[in-house]
Amino acid sequence: MDESLSTPRHPAEIWAARQWQSAMEPSLARFVKDEALRGELLQRIYLEARLANLPPEMVLAVIQVESAFQADAVSSAGAVGLMQIMPFWIRELGLPADDLMDPWRNLRYGTTILAHYLAVERGDFTRALARYNGSLGQTWYPERVMRAWQRHWRPPGSGDRVTVQR
């Protein structure tokens, strides 16, 4: 297991993660039928998003739009896995042995790339999402992700704003 994911966490953080997972589980059930896989996926998404300082709900929305939670998805452009990572990113971020079909490795790449673009765009989610999709200057992709986020991944009681925790 990744050292970053096995590091002991504060009880309040563990409680918050469990509350979040419980809130997101019903929405994910329509995409991922296997309960054990669904729980593990939510846990990993939450941890990877927190590690990258991203809202985990936004990561869920990106995965919904990119692959509909199909870990073995491959696009016509060659993007791979849950977060549809282009293979050239292995040269930029990883090791030649990295398998982008591995959902946990794919999540690490995707959240790292999205966090990078969010930093480049100084917190502007529209531009960061457009960069992530390779459609900078267009808004159709960010609009799809934001629509998915608002319709499926907003926790109860949350407002309309997307915030990045720094």
Side-chain angles (χ1 to χ4, degrees), residues 101-121:
M101 285 295 207
D102 174 343
W104 312 145
R105 180 63 49 201
N106 193 280
L107 280 171
R108 174 65 55 91
Y109 271 81
T111 55
T112 300
I113 294 162
L114 186 54
H116 166 71
Y117 286 143
L118 191 60
V120 166
E121 294 299 342

Side-chain angles (χ1 to χ4, degrees), residues 5 8 10 23 39 69 90 118 122-123 128 130 141-142 149 153 161:
L5 298 178
H10 190 276
F69 295 90
I90 291 174
L118 191 60
R122 297 185 173 134
Y141 177 80
W149 171 71
W153 307 114
R161 291 189 45 197

